[in-house]
Amino acid sequence: MRELTRHRLFWPAAILVVMLLANLIFTPTFFRIELKNGHLYGSLIDILLYGAPLILIALGMTMVIATGGIDLSVGATVAISGALACSIIAEQADQEAVGGVLTAVGLALGLSLVLGFWNGLLVARTGIQPIIATLILMVAGRGVAQLITDGQIITINSDPYELIGGGYLFGFPFAVLVVVVVFAATAVLIRRTALGLLLEAVGGNAEASRLVGIRARRLLVLAYVFCAFCAGIAGLMISSNIRAADGNNAGLWIELDAILAVVIGGTSLMGGRFSLAGTVLGALIIQTLSTTIYTTGVPPQITLVFKAVVVTVVCLIQSPAFRAKAFHRSRPSTPAPSEAEVPA
Amino acid sequence: MLRMTGITKNFPGVRALDGVDFRLLPGEVHALMGENGAGKSTLIKVLTGVHTADSGSVRLDGAPVVIGSPKQAQAAGISTVYQEVNLCSNLTVAENVFIGREPYRFGRIQWKEARRRAAELLERFQLDIDPGAPLGSYSLAVRQLVAIVRAVDISAKVLVLDEPTSSLDRDEVERLFRLMRRLRDDGVAVLFVSHFLDQVFEISDRMTVLRNGRLVGEYETRALSRVELVGHMTGRVLRTLEELHAPREDVRDAIASREPVLAARGLGRKGGVAPFDLDVHPGEVVGFAGLLGSGRTEAARLLFGADGADSGTLEIGGAAAVLRTPGAAIGRGIAFCPEDRKSEGLVEDLTVGENIVLALQAARGWLRPLSASRRAELVGKYIKALNIRPGDPEMPARNLSGGNQQKVLLARWLITQPRLLILDEPTRGVDVGAKAEIQKLVVSLAGDGMGVVFISAELEEVLRISHKIEVLRDREVIAEIANEADATPERLLEIIANGVAR
Ligand SMILES: Nc1ncnc2c1ncn2[C@@H]1O[C@H](COP(=O)(O)OP(=O)(O)OP(=O)(O)O)[C@@H](O)[C@H]1O
Ligand SMILES: [Mg+2]
């Protein structure tokens, strides 16, 4: 039992289970999953489906945070990627053409890679602090998205494009399958190559890493590129799901949720050790919370406060220092280093 | 004055202390002795509230006390310098000395006052340090001195010094000892940890020996011999401490006739070290001797490309080389084990095994990971060869004792099988037995044809294993001497003091 509670994924997993069970009280059918016209439906599936963009972005964010950095521009990248894809599709004579949609998707993802490269260069080459370097794109990116969409909300009507964020494949939501594939590919990339080790070394002790000959700059660029790529896919999902590109509101504040997910998942903002599985759990916790607020009908005026309270509690439970204080004998006057994050 | 009884402390998987009794009398210098990982630092951390003991009690002046945090320890009159210097290198020296107890007036911190008082303190220590300069601009040894100054100024009943002398050289040690004696005569109890037996016998009145987390005994220093002490620490009876002998002359000549693995001409860096020439031959151990701040580390860093040289040329294995990054040096078969293991060496978050393979993996690049079996084999081999304890490759490196962390770093570089190994204070914080092991290892590596640059503040050690010695002073190489019969610590010190006619 002690072994179990000490596992680094124990607390995030326990919190998620408790949240899901809490929903059962309000919604007795919460765990029911149905098969309608060959598609899976249910609250759990919804959480996965609506959580897909957040999970993706949080995965990318995990890489960046592991290096000791942070990427505030993911929300802007979401907007740009969606805006570019939708505006290309909208200009096509036949919006249903698969070729055209593929081109749009390819260009949007390509642009996302470029944006990530830009962030990576700023951080790795000029030594600007990551929070500032990515703030540039966070602010400017919204403007770029506006330029692409001409300040309008572009609506589209394209079945192939809608597949990405709203369609089904083999009974599963397509977006969820994308997440599974990206997660699996990332996990293989990280743990089957030495990438994970080297990233953790750079994040854990940058100077020591330099002195063992790790080429940290390349790794940094790679992390930001990967993060932007994930955000780009998320942007496609979000715009596809609402069949529109909204340069102003797409992905707004999602960077904060993503950072929160990473922290709840047990990766320290200081960098170093990271956990992909933890991040997925963290993202699911946040999405479950949003869903819960929605389904249990918390009055809209207090949803933000409610969310903040829950997130604070979650972060406190996650903090070993707090657990030691609350559950074991108290050690007076110890300035407990609280790892709790101020919620968005 | 202070009495700890039945102290037990468990870490996951390790019993670091097992029912240890310990007492400290007023007006004594008490040495806490034991091999690497014996539990010395842990006992100190329990005493100062960093760790909470699982069982046992502490009495101060006869009254039971519960020390739950370093702050409470300070309030109770216990002032500490920890093994790993933990000051803030981005703050100034003065700020570091007064952090947490800044002089206030009208609710505002009097920084001017702090700076003035810091200057006074440093003066009293005869330290030539600018209190307004950021601490990070000074070497590890200076930082250690600042930590000591800080601890001493908190006029305490108990002063705890965990390996304070590990990177100091003779003069500083002497100065520190004078100060410790003065405090002792004022009735302060001084607890002192060191792996330098000479120092321990010189300064301490009594000592407590730990082994594997257990108390071995408490002894009067006067009544104990060196061999007995080592016997208590290791649990084995040693006949004599093994001695290595300085290399013979004919061997030296044979080595010097080989093609040098590294040849530096006029290599230098402004603000680092003045241009110097150096040849290192395969199989040769080159010692760097000099005092604190003499430029030993700076010279080594140039050889490795850790800092860029702004003058001179470098030839490695006969080919001209410009080292802009450590990676370039590593690619040419050079390895460098830095002196500050906490900030420049270890990645504390990673496991022992990961730390050991890090340099090799970095050289292979991320696309060519070591296979799990190969990695386990290599790590296992070096954990055994260097006797790293606990020998669990999955243990986070942070949890190892200081000396064992040092061995991990050594393993990291040995695994890459370099042509030239640069060791900056490789035996710092390493216990007597392991120190002899490392020295023997260096000699045998050189015997197999590796070139070694060996830096140590301990002149005896440099003399014991090197073929030739570069003497540095004021960031300049002032002499190169062959390690002949007349090379003694005294002669080296004389050269350092007066220079030499070549
Ligand atoms: N935080 C920790 N978690 C787990 N194990 C620990 C931790 N701190 C210390 N240990 C273990 O406790 C034992 C005692 O360590 P300690 O640091 O007290 O040794 P030491 O006597 O100071 O050695 P050294 O001379 O090398 O500094 C070691 O086996 C070490 O690995
Ligand atoms: Mg120690």
Side-chain angles (χ1 to χ4, degrees):
Chain A
M1 184 63 196
R2 266 192 94 177
E3 281 299 298
L4 187 68
T5 58
R6 211 177 272 142
H7 192 281
R8 52 197 301 210
L9 293 184
F10 173 80
W11 288 105
I15 292 166
L16 182 60
V17 169
V18 168
M19 279 190 163
L20 292 174
L21 289 178
N23 267 290
L24 206 53
I25 301 172
F26 297 103
T27 324
T29 59
F30 192 74
F31 282 12
R32 187 181 300 162
I33 293 176
E34 286 172 282
L35 197 64
K36 275 190 229 156
N37 348 320
H39 298 166
L40 291 172
Y41 284 101
S43 303
L44 293 182
I45 302 288
D46 279 353
I47 290 178
L48 285 175
L49 176 58
Y50 293 118
L54 180 60
I55 298 177
L56 277 183
I57 294 176
L59 282 177
M61 190 68 81
T62 309
M63 297 296 128
V64 170
I65 288 181
T67 67
I70 200 152
D71 187 348
L72 294 183
S73 71
V74 285
T77 307
V78 162
I80 292 177
S81 155
L84 185 63
C86 287
S87 61
I88 291 176
I89 293 175
E91 274 168 25
Q92 276 163 9
D94 177 13
Q95 295 198 4
E96 304 290 338
V98 175
V101 169
L102 282 181
T103 316
V105 167
L107 286 176
L109 292 182
L111 181 57
S112 304
L113 293 177
V114 172
L115 295 177
F117 193 67
W118 160 259
N119 278 335
L121 279 191
L122 276 188
V123 171
R125 283 278 158 187
T126 64
I128 300 179
Q129 294 205 346
I131 195 165
I132 302 300
T134 58
L135 191 66
I136 297 174
L137 188 57
M138 177 187 180
V139 176
R142 292 270 162 210
V144 173
Q146 299 278 321
L147 282 180
I148 295 176
T149 62
D150 258 343
Q152 311 281 313
I153 294 181
I154 299 182
T155 53
I156 55 166
N157 208 335
S158 162
D159 284 341
Y161 190 67
E162 272 164 43
L163 173 71
I164 300 172
Y168 285 78
L169 192 67
F170 312 128
F172 286 96
F174 186 77
V176 176
L177 295 179
V178 170
V179 169
V180 171
V181 169
V182 171
F183 176 77
T186 315
V188 168
L189 189 69
I190 291 302
R191 298 299 170 196
R192 284 298 152 97
T193 70
L195 196 58
L197 173 65
L198 298 184
L199 277 175
E200 286 177 337
V202 170
N205 188 338
E207 178 60 9
S209 300
R210 188 178 83 88
L211 289 178
V212 296
I214 296 177
R215 275 179 279 249
R217 284 178 178 175
R218 285 189 204 177
L219 289 175
L220 284 178
V221 173
L222 203 63
Y224 284 91
V225 167
F226 176 74
C227 185
F229 180 68
C230 288
I233 302 179
L236 297 179
M237 284 180 182
I238 291 173
S239 62
S240 146
N241 195 285
I242 59 172
R243 294 178 214 162
D246 178 353
N248 260 334
N249 293 313
L252 197 60
W253 305 132
I254 202 165
E255 56 278 340
L256 298 182
D257 275 349
I259 293 167
L260 202 55
V262 175
V263 173
I264 292 177
T267 300
S268 156
L269 282 181
M270 307 285 289
R273 279 275 182 234
F274 65 92
S275 162
L276 292 178
T279 292
V280 172
L281 287 176
L284 286 175
I285 288 173
I286 292 176
Q287 187 57 43
T288 307
L289 180 58
S290 307
T291 307
T292 308
I293 289 174
Y294 191 65
T295 54
T296 55
V298 175
Q301 315 86 287
I302 64 164
T303 49
L304 283 179
V305 176
F306 178 79
K307 193 172 172 186
V309 169
V310 175
V311 165
T312 309
V313 171
V314 168
C315 287
L316 283 177
I317 292 177
Q318 265 287 69
S319 149
F322 176 81
R323 282 204 305 274
K325 249 188 144 171
F327 301 143
H328 302 293
R329 100 195 91 140
S330 57
R331 298 203 305 177
S333 93
T334 314
S338 164
E339 281 161 33
E341 282 306 301
V342 182
Chain B
M1 171 173 268
L2 175 88
R3 182 185 285 275
M4 304 172 80
T5 7
I7 302 288
T8 298
K9 174 74 194 172
N10 290 309
F11 291 115
V14 201
R15 171 158 292 196
L17 292 173
D18 188 358
V20 173
D21 297 336
F22 176 74
R23 61 192 184 121
L24 207 54
L25 309 179
E28 72 164 347
V29 174
H30 193 111
L32 186 57
M33 302 297 295
E35 294 187 284
N36 292 135
K40 303 178 295 292
S41 298
T42 307
L43 186 68
I44 287 173
K45 286 181 181 165
V46 167
L47 171 63
T48 58
V50 175
H51 294 322
T52 323
D54 297 330
S55 66
S57 62
V58 182
R59 286 171 161 269
L60 199 63
D61 291 327
V65 285
V66 180
I67 298 171
S69 71
K71 214 168 169 181
Q72 286 177 1
Q74 228 176 59
I78 303 172
S79 156
T80 319
V81 177
Y82 294 102
Q83 183 169 7
E84 305 294 345
V85 179
N86 42 2
L87 298 175
C88 310
S89 44
N90 53 342
L91 299 184
T92 65
V93 172
E95 285 165 341
N96 268 295
V97 170
F98 287 103
I99 197 166
R101 49 194 194 90
E102 303 85 354
Y104 278 95
R105 194 204 267 166
F106 308 125
R108 287 184 48 201
I109 299 178
Q110 301 296 109
W111 282 122
K112 243 202 193 131
E113 168 77 4
R115 198 149 326 146
R116 195 183 53 74
R117 279 185 20 206
E120 259 173 40
L121 270 171
L122 296 170
E123 178 84 43
R124 218 171 74 204
F125 251 85
Q126 302 161 26
L127 292 178
D128 182 21
I129 303 175
D130 173 8
L135 189 68
S137 60
Y138 288 106
S139 71
L140 184 65
V142 173
R143 281 181 248 168
Q144 207 166 29
L145 285 169
V146 170
I148 294 169
V149 167
R150 172 185 159 80
V152 169
D153 185 51
I154 306 173
S155 43
K157 284 188 276 190
V158 179
L159 176 64
V160 182
L161 303 168
D162 194 353
E163 300 199 25
T165 56
S166 56
S167 56
L168 303 189
D169 47 39
R170 288 183 173 206
D171 277 1
E172 276 79 18
V173 171
E174 257 324 303
R175 223 177 285 160
L176 176 65
F177 281 5
R178 270 203 301 278
L179 189 96
M180 280 165 69
R181 288 196 189 96
R182 204 160 70 216
L183 289 169
R184 174 188 67 191
D185 296 342
D186 292 346
V188 175
V190 182
L191 174 58
F192 173 74
V193 179
S194 171
H195 288 295
F196 296 102
L197 298 189
D198 293 340
Q199 295 180 358
V200 170
F201 277 96
E202 184 188 336
I203 188 83
S204 72
D205 303 306
R206 291 185 319 126
M207 51 180 89
T208 295
V209 179
L210 298 180
R211 184 167 72 231
N212 289 331
R214 294 220 178 77
L215 177 70
V216 177
E218 194 192 272
Y219 309 93
E220 291 278 329
T221 307
R222 253 172 303 145
L224 199 68
S225 78
R226 205 172 259 261
V227 176
E228 279 170 328
L229 171 61
V230 174
H232 291 314
M233 281 164 54
T234 59
R236 278 161 295 174
V237 189
L238 293 187
R239 259 160 282 134
T240 48
L241 290 179
E242 270 183 81
E243 286 286 331
L244 286 163
H245 293 287
R248 295 209 325 267
E249 192 173 341
D250 48 340
V251 181
R252 272 204 320 266
D253 291 345
I255 287 172
S257 66
R258 295 179 191 158
E259 181 79 8
V261 52
L262 175 138
R265 293 289 171 269
L267 197 68
R269 175 185 168 88
K270 280 203 193 69
V273 62
F276 63 95
D277 295 349
L278 176 70
D279 284 326
V280 184
H281 301 91
E284 186 175 42
V285 181
V286 180
F288 280 16
L291 300 179
L292 242 177
S294 59
R296 295 170 304 198
T297 297
E298 286 78 0
R301 288 174 68 92
L302 289 187
L303 299 179
F304 184 64
D307 297 328
D310 50 22
S311 70
T313 59
L314 203 56
E315 265 182 33
I316 296 168
V322 180
L323 302 179
R324 286 209 186 79
T325 62
I330 294 165
R332 291 176 169 85
I334 304 183
F336 171 61
C337 203
E339 68 173 330
D340 186 348
R341 65 177 163 245
K342 187 175 172 144
S343 67
E344 299 181 336
L346 217 58
V347 186
E348 292 188 316
D349 268 357
L350 298 185
T351 65
V352 170
E354 288 171 332
N355 267 290
I356 290 180
V357 298
L358 201 54
L360 182 59
Q361 188 59 65
R364 292 169 65 99
W366 63 272
L367 278 172
R368 289 173 50 225
L370 285 166
S371 72
S373 58
R374 177 101 184 94
R375 177 164 144 180
E377 179 199 321
L378 280 173
V379 169
K381 178 171 148 202
Y382 281 91
I383 284 182
K384 206 143 145 225
L386 295 177
N387 192 14
I388 295 172
R389 281 177 295 174
D392 174 8
E394 298 305 320
M395 171 82 82
R398 168 194 318 283
N399 294 351
L400 254 54
S401 76
N404 282 300
Q405 290 178 344
Q406 184 66 52
K407 295 188 212 165
V408 167
L409 294 184
L410 213 52
R412 171 191 290 175
W413 290 111
L414 293 182
I415 231 173
T416 64
Q417 303 187 313
R419 286 195 285 180
L420 173 67
L421 178 60
I422 305 171
L423 299 171
D424 196 354
E425 302 277 3
T427 58
R428 187 177 147 245
V430 168
D431 66 40
V432 261
K435 188 180 258 182
E437 288 298 318
I438 291 177
Q439 292 168 0
K440 261 193 281 181
L441 185 75
V442 168
V443 169
S444 88
L445 288 170
D448 295 342
M450 195 184 287
V452 180
V453 170
F454 191 93
I455 304 177
S456 172
E458 210 187 334
L459 298 177
E460 291 80 357
E461 186 179 47
V462 175
L463 284 166
R464 204 170 301 141
I465 65 174
S466 11
H467 297 95
K468 70 178 180 198
I469 297 164
E470 309 293 316
V471 183
L472 289 95
R473 185 181 67 191
D474 296 334
R475 301 178 176 267
E476 196 177 337
V477 178
I478 54 168
E480 175 179 294
I481 60 170
N483 193 359
E484 286 164 341
D486 65 341
T488 58
E490 288 67 33
R491 171 126 190 278
L492 282 183
L493 281 174
E494 197 188 302
I495 298 174
I496 290 170
N498 306 326
V500 71
R502 284 215 198 195

